[in-house]
């Protein structure tokens, strides 16, 4: 461990998409105790396809069912596979005659993230189906945070962490222009 690293911290990572998985791996490599909160039943964030659509196409209705996936079934990345990977974990072309196109489809990105999480033993750090509903400092302290979460199986739980990394993305709710008359 680096001499700058004085102690191990208990760290909450919110979101098990690409950013959350990389954050969890790096924090774990530095010797921290990591807990990843993922509100869905699968890791992968925006890359998890869900064929359902919201009843409100603009996602403005407060009582609508929220569908977290923002992608469509034929989505391909807008980045070439050569730069989709991580420095020490490159995004490889599929073996066995798979898709060799430069811009991979969402299924391939999700597969990449699942393999990454398995290889670095990140899956056991993830609390699936657990939504973070509140994060705030403990009595104004800068070194302790209360993370309140709610899972499908239990009531709300509160836990204290020394650091919080928010990796929940921004693609689950559309941003719409406020245009007069619409």
């Amino acid at each position: 461990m680096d001499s700058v690293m004085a102690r191990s911290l208990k760290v909450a990572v919110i979101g098990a998409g690409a950013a959350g998985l990389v954050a969890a791996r790096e924090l774990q490599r530095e010797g921290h105790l990591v807990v990843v909160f993922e509100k869905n039943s699968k890791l992968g964030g925006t890359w998890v396809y869900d064929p359902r659509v919201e009843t409100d196409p603009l996602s403005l209705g407060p009582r609508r069912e929220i569908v977290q996936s923002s992608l469509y079934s034929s989505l391909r990345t807008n980045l070439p596979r050569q730069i989709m990977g991580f420095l020490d974990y490159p995004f490889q072309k599929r073996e066995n005659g798979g898709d060799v196109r430069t811009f991979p489809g969402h299924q391939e990105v999700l597969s990449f993230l699942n393999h990454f999480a398995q290889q670095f033993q990140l899956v056991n750090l993830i609390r699936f189906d657990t939504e973070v509903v509140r994060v705030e400092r403990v009595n104004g302290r800068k070194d302790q945070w209360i993370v309140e979460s709610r899972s499908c199986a239990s009531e709300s739980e509160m836990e204290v962490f020394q650091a919080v990394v928010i990796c929940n993305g921004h693609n689950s709710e559309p941003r719409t222009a406020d245009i007069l008359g619409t």
Side-chain angles (χ1 to χ4, degrees):
M1 200 176 332
D2 189 42
S3 61
V4 175
M5 183 66 155
R7 61 189 173 112
S8 177
L9 302 176
K10 184 176 178 186
V11 182
V13 175
I14 303 171
L21 294 172
V22 170
R25 181 190 66 167
E26 293 305 310
L27 288 162
Q28 190 176 40
R29 279 182 168 176
E30 293 294 324
H32 299 295
L33 174 63
V34 179
V35 176
V36 180
F37 293 90
E38 174 52 53
K39 72 180 348 181
N40 294 311
S41 61
K42 299 175 184 174
L43 66 83
T46 198
W47 298 105
V48 176
Y49 174 69
D50 186 340
R52 297 176 303 146
V53 294
E54 291 187 9
T55 53
D56 177 359
L58 293 179
S59 299
L60 301 174
R63 293 198 174 104
R64 75 190 188 283
E65 176 189 10
I66 296 174
V67 178
Q68 294 301 315
S69 181
S70 299
L71 58 91
Y72 46 92
S73 63
S74 61
L75 180 79
R76 303 192 76 71
T77 67
N78 61 353
L79 296 173
R81 70 178 62 249
Q82 294 83 351
I83 63 172
M84 284 289 295
F86 309 125
L87 186 60
D88 62 343
Y89 196 82
F91 196 101
Q92 302 291 334
K93 288 186 179 178
R94 280 190 179 176
E95 296 178 17
N96 303 326
D99 192 347
V100 295
R101 292 180 279 185
T102 302
F103 299 94
H106 67 86
Q107 302 94 329
E108 193 175 353
V109 177
L110 183 59
S111 177
F112 169 80
L113 293 173
N114 274 291
H115 285 108
F116 177 82
Q118 290 167 3
Q119 181 166 336
F120 294 102
Q121 290 93 38
L122 302 175
V123 177
N124 62 345
L125 304 177
I126 303 171
R127 294 183 187 170
F128 290 103
D129 295 312
T130 304
E131 180 180 17
V132 172
V133 294
R134 181 174 63 99
V135 175
E136 68 180 49
R137 287 187 173 151
V138 175
N139 298 324
R141 295 178 55 160
K142 293 182 180 180
D143 63 342
Q144 288 190 343
W145 299 85
I146 292 176
V147 174
E148 183 179 355
S149 63
R150 184 175 22 236
S151 71
C152 298
S154 70
E155 295 293 317
S156 180
E157 284 185 37
M158 287 192 263
E159 195 169 348
V160 176
F161 291 87
Q162 292 152 318
V164 178
V165 181
I166 300 173
C167 302
N168 65 338
H170 61 273
N171 294 315
S172 64
E173 291 194 30
R175 295 182 182 160
T176 58
D178 187 15
I179 301 170
L180 187 64
T182 61

